[in-house]
Amino acid sequence: MRLDEVFGAFGTSPRGLSSQEADARRERYGPNELPQPRRKGLWRRFAAQFTDLFALVLLAASALTFLAYGLQDPRDVGNLQLAFAILGVVVLNAVIGFFQEYSAERTSQTLQAMVPHTSRVLRDGERLELPSGALVPGDLVVLEAGDAVSADCRVVEAHSLSVNNAPLTGESAAVGRVSDPTGTTTALESRNCVFMGTTVVAGSGKAVVHATGAATEFGRIFRLTDQAPQQRTPLQREVAVMARRVAALAVAIGAGMFALRLQTGQPLVSAFVFALGVMVALVPEGLPATLSVSLAIGVRRMARRQALVKRLLAVEALGSTTVICTDKTGTLTQAEMTVTQVWSEGAWHAVSGVGYAPVGEVADAQAVRDLLRTAVLCTDARLVPPSDAESWRVLGDTTEGALLVAAAKAGLDPAAEKDAAPRIGEFPFDPVRKLMSTVHRTAEGDVLCVKGAPQELLARCTHLRANEVEQPLTGELRKSVADANDTMAGRGLRVLGVAVRPVDAVPGSMEQAESGLTFLGLLGMLDPPRPEVSEAVRACRRAGIRIVMLTGDHPLTAEAIARRVGIVTGPSPTVVTGSRLNAMNAAALDALLAADGQLLLCRVSPEHKMRVVAALQERGEVVAVTGDGANDAPALKHADIGVSMGAGGTDVAREASVMVLLDDSFASITAAVELGRSVYRNIRKFLAYLFSHNIAELAPILAAAFAGFPLVPLTAVQILAIDLGSDVLPALALGAEPPEADTMERPPRSRRERLFSAELVRRFLFLGAVMSLGVCAVFFWQVHRSGIPYADFTADDPAYRKAITLTQAAIVVGQFFNALAVRTDRQSIFAAGLFSNPRLIAAGCFGIGLMAAISYAPPLQEVFHTAPLALADWAVLTAFGVLLLAAEEARKWWVRRTPATIEKAAVEKEKEATP
Ligand code: ATP
């Protein structure tokens, strides 16, 4: 089909559809979306909760208890109650797990929906940026390197256009696309079609949409059924393995106890119930669910701080990030370019005005009009006049937008200039050669316009033109260009050079085109640093995270910006250019990265980025790297945390990354690191909390057994009430603790450090021991107070009922104080604010309320065999709680005094380095 036939067939034109027609087609064809994948039924997902290991162990325990009840003569109603209680616990646990999983899934879906998917479209001859879902058949889309193709299209214009069709064909090599008719019959094979789900690797072009949504090849081939489940992160796997070990240990100890009891002549059923208590006490029932919830909370908080995490894995890696490799434009700076200076041989021309409003003047504009006209022709961006809510803005590359604004300030009309000299060919910008060229038809003949990095451009120029006088580019002239470039770069300006050459036709190759050029001049653009970055850089320094700047820009520009945001503080940072990197072998690169100090890598291409990331990882660093271009994908994929831009980047980069910054700002990476660190710390907090109470449950049981007390000081039903009644909510609240004040004051966690560190184990052993002491004390105090000899105690004895009530209440009250104690690792809880996590206080109060109900409400007394506690009892329990908190405060004080001093000294040193 010829091009006019293509436009005819789809009822469109080179100006695109009219907006009315687009609306009508949207009504007819529906949104450009694939049908939602079918998810597992809710019931199946609920049922899956019962196949969890803990659930199975508890189900087996419940079944055995039913059996024990059935075999017993006379039957003990208590055992029937116990069997039902365990069953109830399994169901409750499943319900909690189900809702938590559901909410985690919803979170991830919401986040996915927040990742922007837009397409550039021509409608009514205007270039618009629309959500990809709004595309309709007949739309004329504009394609550029890095774009995801969002519908099936017939290419109508192609400039070195190539796409990666791997998602459809599995073939990952880039394939060229043309606009000419091809003879093939199947759509997938035609070289003039591009497809939904594929990406533009290089070049640019335009294409007419011929199929959207489910009608596309992608929609047809892929029957998206069950979504691939999120893979478990190393942390989740570690916790799962640990939980399994603890469960096995619980069963083993339970079995041991059972045998021991039988041997000492206990009846079978009571020995079994005892062993069951031990086992249940040790199984950390709520653990896996609490873990997923706290990861999900971290992800949600990060989203609120403008960092979208696409995979849970990133949350952990963020916490241990040691190096952030950041680019400059847009991440450290605002990417709000304003040309402030124009240089052409022998003269500087100041440009007034800020932002994208074409309000301002170019000094002696006449002399640089030719330069600015050439620059304008060589742009794809469009300046959009203000609408109600927004001021002037740029569609497309902001660097190019700034050129349009400068031209307008010089009295040119960019749109009219482009109409007067239509583009007949182009060699799109690529970050390796750092140039872009376009060919135009003018009244004076065809002309090639080139713009790009001054050094690269100058190397391809043979002449220089200023004030309409053309002269050979002598060494002296070259030096004057380089000096002007350095002057602007030294002020932190981004500099672009412009050149031209008359041509007879569109040159056959890029090399041929970009040679023998005539240099016209330089444009210096101001791109102010983002105000929030300096603080974020300081935070990274205190947190022991190194920042390496990788930029395509000039070393002087890079250094000026790096100084302004505080990445460079000393007199002489190490500045290495891409060409020097090329000359380095692996050992030299390693030595460069090993050296302490501030490192700026300039004039680098995406390949260099990839090499540096890999070399840093070789050194054992955990690397976060930012990237926005199509060629950044390998580095983003290779890094521990690939960070892409939500506002300015390409679809390809967003696809390859695990984190998308909605606001593109470096400060959001720092915020995410802080949250990543706090998620990890929170997980340790609730582990310390959960395991210390397991010890406090087990200790009185063992103590009573060793003391020869014939009954259990804590029954299995009571243990279940603690584990699932009063313990779950505080654990969840701990998982949601906000970051501690010192989160970014300590060096990154080592990648080799396990979750179950010696420190964690020491901590819960300490807390568990203190709590056990209190629990055993109140139980035996009550037993002794009754004056009844051990052997005469029976299960219905009021003194025994009171004693076990005290044991349970001691654990519940102890846990309340324990939760407060574990909230901070080293800081005093009073400094952090005793009530600064209201959820935790509420959760603790709920637990105590539940305990009070178990103690005072007659129906619950029946189930739990409990007795009412006196006010004095509560007072004693509270005193033990306060003691626990005091012991922890003493430990924290000690920790703050001793090993921290070494770390503090390091932090102080860093602080000194910061001006
Ligand atoms: P960073 O990596 O910090 O974002 P950067 O934006 O300067 O830096 P690139 O986009 O790779 O990196 O650009 C590299 C160089 O290419 C720039 O310094 C500039 O000189 C030149 N350049 C950038 N955009 C264009 C463009 N649209 N047309 C021509 N040359 C460009």
Side-chain angles (χ1 to χ4, degrees):
M1 233 194 273
R2 289 198 328 270
L3 287 188
D4 50 344
E5 290 170 347
V6 173
F7 286 117
F10 295 108
T12 184
S13 76
R15 288 171 54 79
L17 295 172
S18 68
S19 39
Q20 288 98 322
E21 180 58 24
D23 290 344
R25 291 192 187 188
R26 198 180 144 98
E27 282 289 305
R28 193 162 358 131
Y29 295 104
N32 176 31
E33 283 163 8
L34 292 176
Q36 280 292 315
R38 215 165 41 81
R39 273 190 276 120
K40 251 198 229 170
L42 291 184
W43 274 112
R44 271 179 59 198
R45 288 160 65 192
F46 182 61
Q49 300 286 336
F50 292 93
T51 56
D52 168 71
L53 177 77
F54 295 147
L56 291 177
V57 170
L58 291 175
L59 279 175
S62 166
L64 285 174
T65 319
F66 273 120
L67 194 69
Y69 170 74
L71 294 179
Q72 228 174 354
D73 193 24
R75 289 183 175 172
D76 179 357
V77 190
N79 286 336
L80 190 63
Q81 284 171 344
L82 176 63
F84 274 114
I86 300 177
L87 210 55
V89 160
V90 179
V91 174
L92 187 73
N93 216 5
V95 170
I96 294 174
F98 172 75
F99 276 107
Q100 283 166 347
E101 230 174 59
Y102 188 73
S103 98
E105 192 178 296
R106 283 290 299 274
T107 306
S108 101
Q109 279 172 358
T110 320
L111 296 187
Q112 288 292 345
M114 282 165 79
V115 177
H117 290 289
T118 57
S119 299
R120 281 176 296 275
V121 185
L122 279 173
R123 282 192 187 164
D124 298 313
E126 292 271 306
R127 197 167 143 151
L128 307 173
E129 193 152 334
L130 297 178
S132 298
L135 290 183
V136 293
D139 258 330
L140 185 58
V141 294
V142 181
L143 300 171
E144 278 166 23
D147 285 352
V149 181
S150 303
D152 289 2
C153 316
R154 162 69 158 84
V155 176
V156 292
E157 190 180 316
H159 306 285
S160 321
L161 185 68
S162 60
V163 292
N164 180 342
N165 278 343
L168 280 182
T169 59
E171 173 56 60
S172 65
V175 284
R177 296 285 103 166
V178 293
S179 57
D180 311 330
T182 57
T184 41
T185 43
T186 67
L188 264 180
E189 283 170 15
S190 9
R191 291 191 58 225
N192 56 18
C193 287
V194 292
F195 303 97
M196 177 193 249
T198 64
T199 48
V200 181
V201 180
S204 63
K206 290 190 186 129
V208 176
V209 173
H210 68 73
T212 57
T216 59
E217 293 292 326
F218 197 74
R220 216 168 48 78
I221 298 173
F222 289 82
R223 282 277 149 262
L224 295 171
T225 48
D226 292 346
Q227 252 174 343
Q230 267 217 343
Q231 275 197 332
R232 285 218 219 165
T233 72
L235 190 67
Q236 283 175 315
R237 280 200 294 268
E238 193 185 339
V239 168
V241 168
M242 178 277 310
R244 227 173 294 145
R245 284 195 193 137
V246 174
L249 187 76
V251 174
I253 295 183
M257 287 291 162
F258 181 59
L260 205 73
R261 287 249 143 175
L262 279 187
Q263 222 184 13
T264 54
Q266 287 247 340
L268 183 84
V269 171
S270 88
F272 170 72
V273 171
F274 172 78
L276 197 64
V278 173
M279 198 185 80
V280 173
L282 280 171
V283 172
E285 294 88 352
L287 191 55
T290 315
L291 179 72
S292 346
V293 169
S294 92
L295 284 170
I297 289 174
V299 168
R300 241 175 284 159
R301 282 196 181 146
M302 287 178 189
R304 247 178 271 140
R305 303 283 293 271
Q306 306 293 320
L308 287 190
V309 168
K310 299 200 307 193
R311 284 196 282 135
L312 283 183
L313 194 72
V315 180
E316 289 171 52
L318 274 166
S320 49
T321 302
T322 56
V323 181
I324 302 177
C325 293
T326 176
D327 55 8
K328 174 179 68 66
T329 311
T331 315
L332 300 174
T333 67
Q334 301 177 8
E336 273 237 350
M337 309 271 179
T338 313
V339 175
T340 57
Q341 278 183 323
V342 184
W343 181 90
S344 82
E345 161 55 6
W348 290 96
H349 303 259
V351 183
S352 61
V354 284
Y356 295 125
V359 184
E361 277 181 22
V362 180
D364 190 13
Q366 185 55 39
V368 287
R369 250 184 220 145
D370 201 17
L371 189 168
L372 287 167
R373 183 178 297 117
T374 309
V376 163
L377 292 182
C378 192
T379 57
D380 288 320
R382 196 165 72 86
L383 208 54
V384 187
S387 59
D388 304 337
E390 291 172 294
S391 49
W392 284 87
R393 63 195 176 91
V394 169
L395 254 186
D397 185 1
T398 51
T399 304
E400 296 191 349
L403 302 181
L404 301 179
V405 175
K409 286 175 184 171
L412 297 171
D413 176 351
E417 295 295 340
K418 285 187 179 183
D419 285 345
R423 189 183 291 186
I424 54 169
E426 69 177 59
F427 298 99
F429 172 73
D430 94 69
V432 179
R433 92 181 196 287
K434 301 183 172 59
L435 297 174
M436 165 172 174
S437 305
T438 52
V439 189
H440 300 264
R441 182 137 296 163
T442 72
E444 295 86 44
D446 293 351
V447 52
L448 175 90
C449 304
V450 192
K451 71 177 190 327
Q455 274 175 325
E456 272 71 8
L457 189 63
L458 211 54
R460 292 165 172 82
C461 289
T462 51
H463 288 75
L464 178 144
R465 189 159 85 210
N467 294 319
E468 295 179 10
V469 180
E470 192 152 324
Q471 48 186 320
L473 199 54
T474 57
E476 202 180 326
L477 280 176
R478 277 183 197 276
K479 184 164 181 321
S480 73
V481 177
D483 286 348
N485 182 22
D486 286 356
T487 306
M488 287 197 270
R491 291 186 200 137
L493 299 185
R494 177 182 179 83
V495 192
L496 226 55
V498 181
V500 281
R501 181 162 75 87
V503 288
D504 297 331
V506 178
S509 77
M510 201 156 64
E511 290 70 30
Q512 190 195 340
E514 292 169 351
S515 63
L517 303 173
T518 298
F519 192 79
L520 294 183
L522 300 170
L523 295 146
M525 275 163 263
L526 183 73
D527 179 14
R530 289 171 174 272
E532 71 277 16
V533 169
S534 303
E535 181 45 44
V537 167
R538 272 199 294 278
C540 281
R541 184 157 289 137
R542 285 197 297 273
I545 298 169
R546 185 174 185 198
I547 304 173
V548 175
M549 185 176 178
L550 286 137
T551 173
D553 222 328
H554 191 281
L556 289 174
T557 313
E559 188 178 335
I561 297 290
R563 278 192 194 284
R564 256 176 247 173
V565 296
I567 291 179
V568 167
T569 50
S572 46
T574 313
V575 183
V576 178
T577 60
S579 45
R580 251 187 76 197
L581 280 179
N582 287 341
M584 280 184 188
N585 60 16
L589 179 60
D590 186 65
L592 174 75
L593 297 172
D596 253 359
Q598 296 163 338
L599 183 60
L600 301 182
L601 302 171
C602 307
R603 312 189 63 75
V604 292
S605 66
E607 287 71 37
H608 293 126
K609 203 181 260 193
M610 173 70 209
R611 224 184 125 199
V612 169
V613 167
L616 282 166
Q617 284 179 318
E618 276 287 296
R619 301 188 46 73
E621 306 280 6
V622 178
V623 186
V625 65
T626 66
D628 44 16
N631 304 352
D632 287 329
L636 291 174
K637 278 209 179 119
H638 202 279
D640 299 278
I641 304 144
V643 185
S644 65
M645 305 301 146
T650 58
D651 299 323
V652 172
R654 284 195 280 271
E655 196 52 47
S657 62
V658 292
M659 189 162 96
V660 183
L661 302 181
L662 289 177
D663 62 354
D664 295 6
S665 174
F666 179 84
S668 306
I669 308 178
T670 322
V673 167
E674 181 177 10
L675 288 166
R677 285 185 173 193
S678 91
V679 165
Y680 201 84
R681 282 174 88 170
N682 287 352
I683 291 171
R684 281 199 169 150
K685 285 172 195 173
F686 70 65
L687 287 178
Y689 172 83
L690 288 176
F691 281 104
S692 48
H693 96 274
N694 276 0
I695 296 175
E697 285 169 353
L698 190 63
I701 297 179
L702 296 182
F706 283 115
F709 189 79
L711 301 168
V712 280
L714 190 68
T715 64
V717 195
Q718 283 180 301
I719 291 172
L720 289 173
I722 297 172
D723 287 7
L724 285 134
S726 41
D727 252 12
V728 171
L729 294 179
L732 287 176
L734 281 171
E737 271 281 317
E740 278 184 56
D742 67 347
T743 305
M744 293 295 268
E745 305 286 335
R746 301 171 69 181
R749 167 172 55 85
S750 150
R751 170 181 265 185
R752 278 183 293 279
E753 186 179 317
R754 296 268 61 95
L755 183 65
F756 276 82
S757 61
E759 191 189 333
L760 173 67
V761 174
R762 267 203 305 273
R763 188 154 195 210
F764 70 67
L765 286 181
F766 174 75
L767 287 163
V770 178
M771 219 152 73
S772 303
L773 226 62
V775 174
C776 293
V778 287
F779 176 76
F780 284 105
W781 167 61
Q782 171 61 24
V783 165
H784 279 277
R785 210 163 53 155
S786 70
I788 307 170
Y790 282 2
D792 297 347
F793 265 97
T794 63
D796 288 322
D797 207 317
Y800 171 70
R801 290 178 73 136
K802 175 84 182 277
I804 63 169
T805 313
L806 269 171
T807 317
Q808 187 182 355
I811 296 175
V812 172
V813 174
Q815 279 293 78
F816 179 76
F817 287 93
N818 187 14
L820 291 176
V822 295
R823 276 189 55 205
T824 56
D825 290 340
R826 332 148 50 101
Q827 201 189 8
S828 159
I829 180 65
F830 299 104
L834 208 49
F835 301 104
S836 55
N837 184 348
R839 271 194 252 191
L840 186 70
I841 302 287
C845 291
F846 170 80
I848 293 179
L850 189 70
M851 182 63 234
I854 290 174
S855 166
Y856 299 115
L860 291 179
Q861 285 174 347
E862 265 315 293
V863 176
F864 289 93
H865 273 74
T866 45
L869 295 179
L871 205 59
D873 297 325
W874 288 107
V876 171
L877 298 179
T878 309
F880 272 117
V882 173
L883 202 68
L884 176 87
L885 200 59
E888 248 301 273
E889 280 294 310
R891 185 199 64 82
K892 286 177 196 166
W893 173 78
W894 183 251
V895 173
R896 279 202 302 274
R897 279 204 51 210
T898 38
T901 44
I902 306 162
E903 265 170 35
K904 268 240 178 70
V907 171
E908 288 302 321
K909 214 173 92 192
E910 281 290 347
K911 271 186 189 158
E912 275 164 28
T914 316

